[in-house]
Amino acid sequence: QVQLLESGGGLVQAGGSLRLSCAASGRTFSRNARGWFRQAPGNEREFVAAVDWSGAITYYADSVKGRFTISRDNTKNTVYLQMNSLKPEDTAVYHCAARNSVGVGATPRLTTSYPYWGQGTQVTVSS
């Protein structure tokens, strides 16, 4: 059974940092592009960041560019999201996802581009 399991969420004050992890089990995703999305209450799930299989190519939502960094360790079948300078508007459930392709493709921001999803981890940023 393929599973993506997020961890590292929590409560942090504005300006603080968190590092999310997403470990895969059931199969290797070392040759798959990966992504992070988030969903706040009442909102649709939105794109945060994506990375190709090698870690060399990354994409970010404008709202997190310069503050968040996506990375991966293929030896651990894990992708990370380092979040710095957090803001209250970053509060959401963060989900990791995986694609069937090595590259991020033409539509890395679409949820429909990712067939594999984790259950999510809550991030709450207080003001």
Side-chain angles (χ1 to χ4, degrees):
Q1 181 180 1
V2 176
Q3 282 189 319
L4 298 177
L5 183 63
E6 302 94 338
S7 62
L11 173 64
V12 64
Q13 288 187 333
S17 298
L18 284 174
R19 188 194 195 205
L20 305 184
S21 299
C22 176
S25 62
R27 59 160 283 182
T28 179
F29 286 100
S30 61
R31 296 284 293 178
N32 298 73
R34 307 283 293 273
W36 284 97
F37 289 74
R38 66 187 181 187
Q39 188 166 18
N43 291 354
E44 293 187 351
R45 192 168 296 186
E46 66 173 6
F47 170 77
V48 175
V51 61
D52 77 332
W53 75 276
S54 70
I57 300 174
T58 57
Y59 287 92
Y60 296 93
D62 289 343
S63 59
V64 307
K65 201 172 294 182
R67 300 187 297 122
F68 291 11
T69 302
I70 188 171
S71 62
R72 63 190 298 159
D73 184 341
N74 288 337
T75 65
K76 296 181 179 179
N77 215 9
T78 299
V79 66
Y80 305 97
L81 185 68
Q82 177 67 43
M83 305 185 296
N84 299 329
S85 302
L86 282 161
K87 305 175 181 180
E89 51 263 43
D90 294 318
T91 295
V93 176
Y94 283 71
H95 298 267
C96 70
R99 298 192 64 155
N100 281 323
S101 60
V102 297
V104 296
T107 56
R109 292 171 171 79
L110 298 183
T111 58
T112 52
S113 298
Y114 300 81
Y116 305 99
W117 289 88
Q119 292 298 308
T121 184
Q122 175 70 47
V123 171
T124 303
V125 184
S126 63
S127 58

